[in-house]
Amino acid sequence: MAIFFDEALKTFYLESKDTSYVFRINENGFLNHLYYGKRIAREDLTYSVYLVDRGHGSNIAGRPRYESLNVYMNECPTYGRSDYRESMLAFFFENGSRVSDLVYKNHRILDKKPELCGMPSVKGGETLVIELWDSLNSVSVELFYTVFEELPVILRHAEIKNLGSVALTLDRAYSFAVDMPDANWDVLALPGAHLRERFAERSPLSHGIFTVDSKRGVSSGQMNPFLAVLRKNATEESGEVYGYNLVYSGDFAFKAQVEQNDELRVVGGINDHDFAWELLPGDMFTTPEAVMVYSDAGLGKMSRTFHDLYRENLVNPRFVKKSHPIVINNWEATYFNFDTEKLCAIIDSVEGTGIDTFVLDDGWFGKRLNDRAGLGDWFVNMEKLPHGLTPIIEHAHKKGMKFGLWFEPEMVNANSDLYRAHPDWAIHAPGLEPCTGRDQLILDLSRDEVCDYIIKVVSDILKNNAIDYVKWDMNRTMTDNHSASLGKRGKELHHRYVLGFYKICEALINGFPHVFFEGCASGGCRFDPAMLYYFPQIWTSDDSDAYLRTAIQYGTSMCYPLSTHSCHVSAVPNHQCGRVTPYASRASIAHLGATGYELDTTKMDPDELAEIKAQVDDYKEIEDLVLFGDLYRLNDPQKENLFAEQLVSKDRSKALVTVMRPLAIPNAAAIRVYPRGLDDDATYFVREGNLTKKGSTLMNLGIIVPFAPRDFSTVTYHIKKVD
Ligand code: DGJ
């Protein structure tokens, strides 16, 4: 049992082994938050409620002046009833009122978390459901809290029902709100851009509102739906951290607000910037799921908790615990310029290296000679591939390799048969020529007929060809936000698009259970937990430069397990930034994820091909660590001329330490790395360096890393317990 209700105190205790989350029903029926953090005793916490009349405010009608919702910590803050901070929910009623009065009605405790309507979510057990009721407007709000005994995790979402006889509008429907009793916090977010996604950034909180969000229709590479709130003294290894992540692939917002009381409120969910949802009588709206993780041991423990949770309860179980394909992808080898012979030559060239999957990227369909035409026409380009896909697929299979195919089904080019037949299927605003991105338009997935079309064309290809792997791309973000089918309900478009996208994923991923789906959006521009529910790995960034990848993969690892980061060895000079890094370094960094290759192997000499085999053999040796291991980030590559990460098996018998020194320094001081997560008293053999030492020695005295005198040198250590 993780959820307790004390009837006398009217208090709920949500407890995991190490955490407590406590709130009560107060005298007025409001849910008054009391505590979230390290596990504490199950007792009366009302002494901590600090009610004072702060002046120039307001209080609950008929109650003492100090009883303002603005001085309570609230579980489900709404607008207009004396709480001036950010709301979790906002309504617009038929009579013009925006003020709701939600009070406790009842609660129940379920053994198993119910699935969310139309959206992916984390699997969970014991769940508290609290119903709040607004009798004036006949609105019911159910708040869901799922608790894990073994993991410091709480899952939250809400269901809002219109039980009245007239329509109402939801202007904001966030997934959670958490109030904290002081304001001494930093925040860490994952901002970025295409080719440099998720660069971790920490900043102090001060009075006002700190917001991370996306308005692009996708979770985006510009900001990830993740926010950590940390104590000022928190580090990678110590101090309190609260991590928030949203299981959602569209517009999101997280807000951290410090107001007059010097307390902190964190709220988050679907971005309400361009959102409104009409609830007709009887309708229900479900918010996406928010994941809340508490760590008393810094960012590292927070990340390991997210990783364990997602590997066990989120990522597609058909693939999460299995070897991922080791891919050779033709994109950077050929771009659009290929024919059957070239593709077969790539397959031939990697025979015997251990690469087990060939992925045919963009350009195989329609009139796709470049990126200005063809999207939407999902039939083979017979000029380029006169015998279709079959000879290439058969060739790969004959060589013992699987075959993967690239799609970008959410998009259409104006220069395509699909667009010529259905121009209205592309998202556009009335009377305006729609903005393009990479010369393409976005199909309106809020419309059933468009989703059905996509399901049918992709299904037909998967049915008629022996395809083992799909790379699902999405290369622009949304503009011209209007849907002909939604009319005045236009502000529902972005969320309906996301729901349509999930419907397509459900149909295809369940319809073709043997197919391994990789997610991609110009690289990592839609990397979120909902995508991971469907796609066990996501192309982390179009930037495959080993040096920049250290920061990208470091930031991505804040909440997403390494097995989900798709990482390729690519050519030098790097196609994105022109940098030349050693071959071995490119492999070492690509081994910190689901590894693969993205270069023209037909141009490699026998030694370079032999090196691929050695790299793949090495990867096989550490793959279990990538799939199941605990991650320790040994330093922050954005702060130092050093990147060091370690993976440790759950039983602490095996570890890998990967270290890169970006810039060579002559006559440099010794660079030491300090492994973590080993058993103090066990003896370990460090293969490189031929060292046999106790865990305590390695972790406290460290290992001196002998870098080669060149930029971007990498050293890896394979560590094994010997007794
Ligand atoms: C963007 C992806 O991230 C690349 O890997 C490649 O698939 C291109 N799109 C193809 O257009």
Side-chain angles (χ1 to χ4, degrees):
M1 276 252 297
I3 298 170
F4 301 87
F5 179 59
D6 185 317
E7 187 69 55
L9 295 173
K10 298 261 175 287
T11 298
F12 296 94
Y13 300 87
L14 279 51
E15 296 172 346
S16 74
K17 194 157 56 73
D18 300 320
T19 60
S20 300
Y21 187 101
V22 188
F23 58 95
R24 67 172 182 137
I25 309 158
N26 84 352
E27 300 69 26
N28 305 303
F30 295 111
L31 293 187
N32 172 203
H33 179 81
L34 294 169
Y35 177 77
Y36 180 28
K38 205 177 177 68
R39 178 80 181 253
I40 57 172
R42 202 179 303 150
E43 58 185 331
D44 183 358
L45 304 184
T46 46
Y47 77 95
S48 66
V49 179
Y50 183 60
L51 298 180
V52 279
D53 176 8
R54 293 198 178 270
H56 206 74
S58 58
N59 56 279
I60 299 161
R63 304 290 300 172
R65 285 187 184 172
Y66 56 76
E67 258 197 66
S68 165
L69 286 182
N70 210 55
V71 295
Y72 274 111
M73 299 203 289
N74 293 323
E75 269 313 292
C76 182
T78 56
Y79 170 72
R81 294 289 283 169
S82 76
D83 188 337
Y84 299 93
R85 295 163 291 177
E86 285 294 314
S87 306
M88 178 174 151
L89 304 173
F91 299 91
F92 187 81
F93 298 109
E94 194 74 353
N95 62 2
S97 168
R98 279 95 56 226
V99 185
S100 60
D101 199 26
L102 286 162
V103 291
Y104 171 85
K105 184 173 180 197
N106 58 46
H107 74 269
R108 59 193 190 277
I109 296 171
L110 311 174
D111 291 340
K112 193 165 173 274
K113 194 197 85 178
E115 292 193 350
L116 272 66
C117 184
M119 273 175 290
S121 65
V122 178
K123 279 195 294 300
E126 208 175 328
T127 300
L128 170 66
V129 188
I130 301 207
E131 184 178 7
L132 305 177
W133 175 241
D134 174 346
S135 56
L136 185 67
N137 298 296
S138 299
V139 176
S140 154
V141 173
E142 290 196 324
L143 304 176
F144 290 72
Y145 300 79
T146 301
V147 186
F148 295 77
E149 283 202 19
E150 291 304 316
L151 283 175
V153 172
I154 297 177
L155 308 175
R156 304 263 307 257
H157 77 277
E159 288 180 358
I160 302 121
K161 288 185 201 128
N162 178 1
L163 298 180
S165 53
V166 288
L168 64 90
T169 303
L170 267 175
D171 279 334
R172 174 180 285 187
Y174 281 174
S175 303
F176 74 98
V178 177
D179 283 347
M180 305 294 284
D182 68 79
N184 302 318
W185 304 97
D186 284 350
V187 279
L188 183 134
L190 298 175
H194 179 226
L195 302 176
R196 44 185 179 82
E197 298 86 349
R198 292 172 297 287
F199 272 52
E201 191 173 88
R202 182 170 178 164
S203 36
L205 270 187
S206 52
H207 287 102
I209 301 169
F210 176 88
T211 302
V212 295
D213 77 350
S214 166
K215 304 182 182 79
R216 293 170 173 259
V218 286
S219 45
S220 97
Q222 283 71 15
M223 193 61 84
N224 196 263
F226 165 82
L227 184 71
V229 176
L230 316 79
R231 282 294 177 200
K232 301 265 179 212
N233 63 358
T235 66
E236 180 66 24
E237 295 292 332
S238 65
E240 287 192 298
V241 183
Y242 296 78
Y244 299 94
N245 201 193
L246 195 68
V247 188
Y248 191 60
S249 311
D251 295 346
F252 70 90
F254 285 119
K255 290 174 189 280
Q257 179 176 25
V258 177
E259 216 229 18
Q260 63 169 2
N261 306 346
D262 287 353
E263 294 173 350
L264 170 68
R265 168 166 295 170
V266 184
V267 291
I270 295 179
N271 198 339
D272 53 338
H273 162 79
D274 183 27
F275 168 88
W277 196 273
E278 191 178 11
L279 280 180
L280 298 173
D283 278 1
M284 176 175 89
F285 184 85
T286 305
T287 73
E289 182 161 86
V291 182
M292 313 196 317
V293 167
Y294 170 75
S295 163
D296 59 353
L299 288 164
K301 184 172 173 191
M302 175 203 71
S303 297
R304 290 187 289 279
T305 303
F306 273 117
H307 297 178
D308 286 345
L309 178 77
Y310 289 169
R311 289 188 295 217
E312 289 300 321
N313 296 290
L314 178 74
V315 182
N316 187 333
R318 287 199 289 273
F319 300 107
V320 67
K321 292 199 173 151
K322 301 218 176 88
S323 292
H324 288 216
I326 298 182
V327 157
I328 173 80
N329 177 303
N330 75 307
W331 178 241
E332 290 195 6
T334 65
Y335 295 102
F336 293 102
N337 188 17
F338 57 80
D339 54 23
T340 308
E341 289 65 39
K342 177 71 188 179
L343 300 177
C344 290
I346 294 176
I347 294 170
D348 290 340
S349 66
V350 298
E351 191 175 1
T353 58
I355 290 177
D356 55 31
T357 304
F358 170 72
V359 176
L360 171 51
D361 210 280
D362 195 354
W364 59 268
F365 52 90
K367 296 263 179 310
R368 190 77 168 161
L369 301 178
N370 52 46
D371 63 10
R372 289 187 290 281
L375 288 174
D377 297 342
W378 299 107
F379 45 84
V380 179
N381 179 321
M382 298 305 256
E383 278 157 44
K384 256 195 218 185
L385 305 174
H387 309 289
L389 294 173
T390 309
I392 310 157
I393 298 176
E394 284 179 351
H395 193 69
H397 287 166
K398 210 163 64 214
K399 298 277 177 178
M401 289 173 75
K402 299 201 157 160
F403 179 84
L405 194 62
W406 180 96
F407 289 91
E408 194 181 359
E410 297 161 74
M411 299 288 155
V412 65
N413 285 114
N415 185 2
S416 69
D417 292 349
L418 181 69
Y419 186 75
R420 284 182 279 273
H422 296 285
D424 59 309
W425 281 11
I427 293 177
H428 64 283
L432 290 172
E433 196 176 332
C435 304
T436 51
R438 206 194 189 199
D439 271 294
Q440 60 199 53
L441 303 167
I442 307 187
L443 290 171
D444 183 353
L445 303 195
S446 75
R447 293 170 67 166
D448 285 343
E449 66 273 34
V450 179
C451 294
D452 292 345
Y453 169 80
I454 292 175
I455 293 168
K456 175 155 183 2
V457 281
V458 178
S459 297
D460 283 350
I461 294 167
L462 296 183
K463 262 186 227 147
N464 298 329
N465 298 279
I467 290 164
D468 311 290
Y469 181 112
V470 163
K471 177 176 173 186
W472 185 288
D473 208 344
M474 200 270 189
N475 283 304
R476 63 157 291 189
T477 53
M478 284 187 206
T479 57
D480 302 280
N481 302 308
H482 171 82
S483 171
S485 66
L486 290 173
K488 289 208 165 70
R489 296 179 68 163
K491 286 189 171 190
E492 297 180 10
L493 173 63
H494 279 197
H495 184 54
R496 285 191 185 274
Y497 180 97
V498 175
L499 295 178
F501 171 59
Y502 293 154
K503 193 171 82 174
I504 293 169
C505 290
E506 289 288 336
L508 293 173
I509 285 158
N510 295 329
F512 298 89
H514 66 285
V515 176
F516 185 103
F517 282 78
E518 174 177 80
C520 176
S522 302
C525 292
R526 187 166 59 183
F527 203 126
D528 60 64
M531 288 289 294
L532 291 183
Y533 176 87
Y534 296 113
F535 303 156
Q537 68 185 43
I538 298 174
W539 181 222
T540 315
S541 176
D542 268 349
D543 190 337
S544 52
D545 165 56
Y547 167 60
L548 279 171
R549 273 298 186 112
T550 60
I552 294 169
Q553 293 172 204
Y554 171 93
T556 306
S557 76
M558 279 298 152
C559 51
Y560 307 114
L562 264 54
S563 58
T564 66
H565 306 189
S566 176
C567 306
H568 291 177
V569 176
S570 61
V572 290
N574 178 266
H575 290 202
Q576 290 76 36
C577 65
R579 185 173 288 117
V580 176
T581 53
Y583 193 14
S585 299
R586 282 176 271 150
S588 298
I589 300 304
H591 284 187
L592 294 170
T595 202
Y597 289 80
E598 176 125 8
L599 33 66
D600 192 347
T601 43
T602 64
K603 293 197 178 130
M604 289 180 126
D605 64 32
D607 286 349
E608 288 170 315
L609 289 169
E611 185 55 27
I612 294 188
K613 177 170 170 13
Q615 290 168 356
V616 173
D617 287 348
D618 184 48
Y619 184 71
K620 290 279 174 202
E621 213 185 301
I622 55 110
E623 191 187 23
D624 55 336
L625 296 175
V626 175
L627 289 176
F628 313 113
D630 282 336
L631 172 72
Y632 291 85
R633 290 177 294 252
L634 304 183
N635 81 324
D636 179 346
Q638 286 171 257
K639 294 211 179 107
E640 289 173 66
N641 183 29
L642 195 72
F643 164 79
E645 258 183 27
Q646 182 189 6
L647 286 164
V648 186
S649 61
K650 289 280 178 199
D651 66 0
R652 298 166 181 242
S653 66
K654 184 177 168 188
L656 173 81
V657 177
T658 302
V659 196
M660 176 193 272
R661 183 186 56 179
L663 296 182
I665 311 281
N667 194 16
I671 291 177
R672 276 170 213 270
V673 292
Y674 297 88
R676 311 206 57 84
L678 304 177
D679 273 340
D680 275 335
D681 298 329
T683 306
Y684 290 90
F685 176 63
V686 184
R687 192 165 79 197
E688 297 77 3
N690 195 20
L691 267 180
T692 303
K693 294 286 164 221
K694 292 284 184 200
S696 58
T697 307
L698 292 172
M699 292 194 287
N700 291 298
L701 189 55
I703 303 174
I704 298 176
V705 191
F707 283 111
R710 68 176 289 194
D711 290 346
F712 312 109
S713 280
T714 302
V715 177
T716 55
Y717 292 98
H718 296 75
I719 302 176
K720 271 219 165 97
K721 200 190 233 182
V722 286
D723 72 15

